């Protein structure tokens, strides 16, 4: 969720912002939040996700607004700080470039084969 938010809004959301957005989506019947804070779309949420649309990133917020019912935050929804902190730390953790990941995957030695990198 943090990565998508950052891509659309070009900022990292606060815990309170995620809490408010998730609470509004849950109150609107579009998602369910489980005990581990996994967000799952309801049938109605899935229907909206399947709606075909071809919009640019700039047009996305208004396109989403057209699909959603009126939403209001649910103050009873509380995102535990430790869940947010772990998700933020994971998002901000540097990742190796894709080229490095692909090279490692292609040159990984297998227990089976002749020992030549990339052969198994």
């Amino acid at each position: 969720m943090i990565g998508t938010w950052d891509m659309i809004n070009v900022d990292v959301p606060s815990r309170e912002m995620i809490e408010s957005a998730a609470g509004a989506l849950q109150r609107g019947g579009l998602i369910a939040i489980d005990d581990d804070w996994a967000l799952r779309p309801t049938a109605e949420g899935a229907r909206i996700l399947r709606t075909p649309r071809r919009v640019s990133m700039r047009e996305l917020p208004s396109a989403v607004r057209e699909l959603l019912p009126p939403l209001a935050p649910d103050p009873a929804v509380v995102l535990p700080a430790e869940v947010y902190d772990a998700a933020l730390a994971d998002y901000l953790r540097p990742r190796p470039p894709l080229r490095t990941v692909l090279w490692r995957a292609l040159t990984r030695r297998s227990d089976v084969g002749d020992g030549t990198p990339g052969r198994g």
Side-chain angles (χ1 to χ4, degrees):
M1 177 185 268
I2 292 175
T4 302
W5 190 300
D6 188 16
M7 178 182 68
I8 294 171
N9 296 305
V10 192
D11 73 345
V12 175
S14 68
R15 184 177 63 80
E16 293 79 12
M17 292 167 82
I18 292 176
E19 202 172 73
S20 178
L25 291 171
Q26 180 173 271
R27 180 181 263 183
L30 301 174
I31 65 167
I33 305 171
D34 70 18
D35 292 337
D36 295 324
W37 256 81
L39 309 178
R40 304 205 193 303
T42 61
E44 178 61 13
R47 185 192 67 74
I48 290 172
L49 287 171
R50 286 190 307 271
T51 303
R53 57 196 169 275
R54 293 198 171 128
V55 296
S56 69
M57 289 302 292
R58 195 168 290 181
E59 298 168 324
L60 187 59
S62 60
V64 168
R65 253 184 257 110
E66 289 174 14
L67 294 170
L68 296 178
L71 299 174
D74 182 351
V77 174
V78 177
L79 172 58
E82 61 272 8
V83 172
Y84 174 79
D85 293 344
L88 182 61
D90 182 61
Y91 177 67
L92 296 175
R93 183 174 299 119
R95 304 276 196 294
L98 181 58
R99 183 175 48 209
T100 303
V101 172
L102 289 173
W103 176 252
R104 286 180 186 155
L106 292 172
T107 60
R108 186 175 333 143
R109 289 184 177 231
S110 172
D111 291 337
V112 180
D114 63 5
T116 304
R119 292 191 182 176

